[in-house]
Amino acid sequence: MTTLLHIDSSVFPTEASSSRAVTEAFRKHWEELHPQGTVVYRDLAAQPVPHITADAHLAGFSDPASHTPAQAAAFAERVRLIEELERADAVLIGAPMYNYAIPSTLKAWLDNVILLGRTAGAGQSVKGTPVTVVASRGGSYAPGTPRESYEYVQNYLTAVLGDALGLELDFIVPELTMAPQNPAMAELVPLYQASRDRAFADAAEQAQRLAERLAA
């Protein structure tokens, strides 16, 4: 029985969020292909995880027997999130671009699950787990565009998820999502729609590929 860990971080509801709309489509395809599977869902906007604290950080580098009560409590929350990630056969993350970077709630989750000596560094307990990231953005930051150098979502998540944690990373990128709301971007609406359509198609294809891979 397969387990999908689904994480959303958009502050907007599905009807107003491209990242949520595409992750929802991916999840529906996944559930159709894994009717006996399990989906563990985290909505980081509705229920944020704790930002990393000194107690939570220091506890990751010391013997549990030496933890203070505050360190033990903080570290227990980190371990719960880490174990959730370790149990997943695949991971789905909605990561909209806010002010050129990922939402702070998603950064908080990452800070909790990145633990040297376990998920990162020697060992990489989640190495090889496939992760699909829906990286939506209001404009375009693709290679060759004027704002290419401001792309800090895919670059950052590649370093953290791919390099630090050893996850097998794929991106789905719905872009120009502000075009329907911004009159100055009106001429880009057809490109936005094409990007959105491609994102939904990519979600279906990626769910199918993972289903075939995990069934092998």
Side-chain angles (χ1 to χ4, degrees):
M1 190 166 68
T2 57
T3 297
L4 174 70
L5 175 59
H6 175 187
I7 296 169
D8 276 326
S9 60
S10 172
V11 298
F12 298 104
T14 301
E15 60 271 18
S17 167
S18 290
S19 66
R20 285 184 185 270
V22 176
T23 60
E24 181 180 75
F26 180 106
R27 176 173 170 170
K28 286 181 177 178
H29 287 295
W30 174 275
E31 289 175 329
E32 290 172 1
L33 296 164
H34 301 87
Q36 305 303 317
T38 299
V39 176
V40 176
Y41 182 57
R42 279 198 172 273
D43 186 337
L44 297 178
Q47 294 181 306
V49 302
H51 282 275
I52 204 77
T53 62
D55 284 330
H57 176 74
L58 293 173
F61 295 94
S62 59
D63 184 345
S66 70
H67 290 175
T68 66
Q71 288 175 334
F75 192 60
E77 176 63 17
R78 289 189 70 185
V79 169
R80 185 167 69 89
L81 296 172
I82 288 169
E83 290 178 343
E84 198 170 73
L85 176 60
E86 290 173 336
R87 287 193 295 266
D89 296 294
V91 182
L92 172 65
I93 300 175
M97 178 186 280
Y98 292 160
N99 299 316
Y100 307 116
I102 62 172
S104 65
T105 51
L106 180 55
K107 179 61 163 59
W109 180 81
L110 288 167
D111 286 341
N112 275 280
V113 300
I114 297 170
L115 181 60
L116 285 174
R118 183 164 178 174
T119 58
Q124 288 184 317
S125 61
V126 294
K127 183 176 182 179
T129 302
V131 56
T132 302
V133 176
V134 179
S136 59
R137 61 277 315 274
S140 179
Y141 300 81
T145 62
R147 293 197 171 186
E148 176 184 357
S149 63
Y150 290 89
E151 205 300 301
Y152 301 118
V153 172
Q154 286 177 268
N155 287 336
Y156 171 71
L157 291 178
T158 296
V160 173
L161 297 174
D163 297 340
L165 299 183
L167 298 167
E168 293 188 10
L169 183 59
D170 284 289
F171 285 101
I172 297 173
V173 186
E175 61 178 12
L176 302 169
T177 62
M178 288 298 296
Q181 290 81 40
N182 186 348
M185 298 175 67
E187 64 181 18
L188 299 176
V189 168
L191 292 177
Y192 149 76
Q193 190 59 59
S195 177
R196 183 178 175 87
D197 291 344
R198 186 166 57 250
F200 282 115
D202 288 347
E205 291 173 7
Q206 178 67 356
Q208 180 67 45
R209 282 196 297 270
L210 287 177
E212 293 171 355
R213 168 180 169 174
L214 294 173

